Amino acid sequence: MDTTGILTRFDEQMRRRIAPDHLFVSKGWSAVLWRPDDGDVEPLVARMREMPGHVEWKYYSHDGPELRERLVAAGLEPEDEETVVVAETSSIPPPSADVEVRTATDEFVELAERVFGRSHGSGLPEVSVAVVAMVDGQPVSGGRVDFEEGVDFAGLFGGITLPEYRGRGLYRATVAKRAALARERGYRWLYSDALPTSRPILERLGFVRLTTTTPFVIPAATG
């Protein structure tokens, strides 16, 4: 797999194209996706401070250490690093026939509320499709896949499994279902910003490392 070529395409489509003004704005989540050509981060950080809801600067490691230093100097704080992994949708095998997986927004929202204790999924973007894996008629694992228009990449987000059901291949089944949905819609690549909990599972499915990304956020007010 030519990861260099894929990364170039990813930058162009999933960063520049969907955020031509650098800042991607959606319901409940907004982010700076692309570094300014002149390196001046202050105007974008100022815009971040004025926005409601969750807003972050998605710093990618291949943007270079100088940008990271400027974000810190501008008063932003890094959160946990994630690994961007990618696979061809055609390479992901279909979900096991032993696992019931279906598209279900309401069930996914309810599952997220059980895990996070709040309305985590009610603000799903319009481009999202949610899936859940069922056990004994109850949703116990799920995630969403985002289908931006005019790009080759579909994104995996929001993967969750109830603790007592982990290790049973359910998350893997939800990934396979989302890959199938992406194939049906003509997307060539599937990507995810993977945390250490999900990266090993995705790598066993054939995903490979593309780069890393770190959310930089405005520090919470104290006092």
Side-chain angles (χ1 to χ4, degrees):
M1 183 183 292
D2 176 20
T3 55
T4 301
I6 297 170
L7 181 58
T8 299
R9 185 176 298 183
F10 179 86
D11 280 345
E12 176 59 33
Q13 295 186 5
M14 304 310 297
R15 301 179 66 194
R16 279 185 178 271
R17 187 179 300 179
I18 69 173
D21 190 32
H22 302 287
L23 191 61
F24 176 82
V25 180
S26 67
K27 182 180 179 181
W29 183 88
S30 302
V32 177
L33 298 183
W34 188 254
R35 63 187 184 276
D37 292 335
D38 61 5
D40 184 7
V41 304
E42 293 290 351
L44 285 169
V45 172
R47 289 176 62 188
M48 291 173 63
R49 295 183 184 279
E50 297 173 353
M51 297 187 66
H54 178 82
V55 60
E56 65 186 48
W57 187 305
K58 282 186 69 66
Y59 165 77
Y60 291 84
S61 56
H62 62 284
D63 288 337
E66 182 179 351
L67 176 60
R68 185 184 185 99
E69 293 169 0
R70 292 188 178 191
L71 296 179
V72 172
L76 300 186
E77 291 184 349
E79 295 189 328
D80 293 339
E81 182 181 80
E82 301 165 339
T83 302
V84 183
V85 294
V86 65
E88 289 197 70
T89 57
S90 60
S91 71
I92 307 299
S96 169
D98 297 333
V99 181
E100 179 188 356
V101 188
R102 63 192 189 201
T103 58
T105 298
D106 290 343
E107 287 90 340
F108 174 70
V109 171
E110 292 172 3
L111 179 63
E113 289 177 348
R114 289 182 62 185
V115 173
F116 297 107
R118 57 188 172 85
S119 182
H120 183 74
S122 58
L124 290 182
E126 294 182 1
V127 298
S128 297
V129 175
V131 307
V132 293
M134 311 292 290
V135 173
D136 297 329
Q138 298 297 320
V140 298
S141 182
R144 76 175 210 254
V145 55
D146 287 7
F147 299 119
E148 299 288 348
E149 294 185 1
V151 299
D152 299 318
F153 298 84
L156 298 180
F157 300 100
I160 46 175
T161 302
L162 295 179
E164 61 268 34
Y165 290 94
R166 291 172 184 166
R168 297 171 55 170
L170 299 174
Y171 173 71
R172 176 192 292 257
T174 69
V175 172
K177 176 66 174 179
R178 286 178 281 173
L181 294 172
R183 284 194 300 271
E184 293 169 3
R185 289 163 171 76
Y187 289 84
R188 180 176 180 184
W189 305 102
L190 204 62
Y191 80 95
S192 178
D193 298 342
L195 290 167
T197 50
S198 60
R199 181 180 177 184
I201 301 171
L202 294 172
E203 289 178 335
R204 287 195 292 271
L205 282 169
F207 283 75
V208 299
R209 180 189 182 279
L210 200 59
T211 184
T212 64
T213 182
T214 302
F216 276 78
V217 299
I218 299 168
T222 58

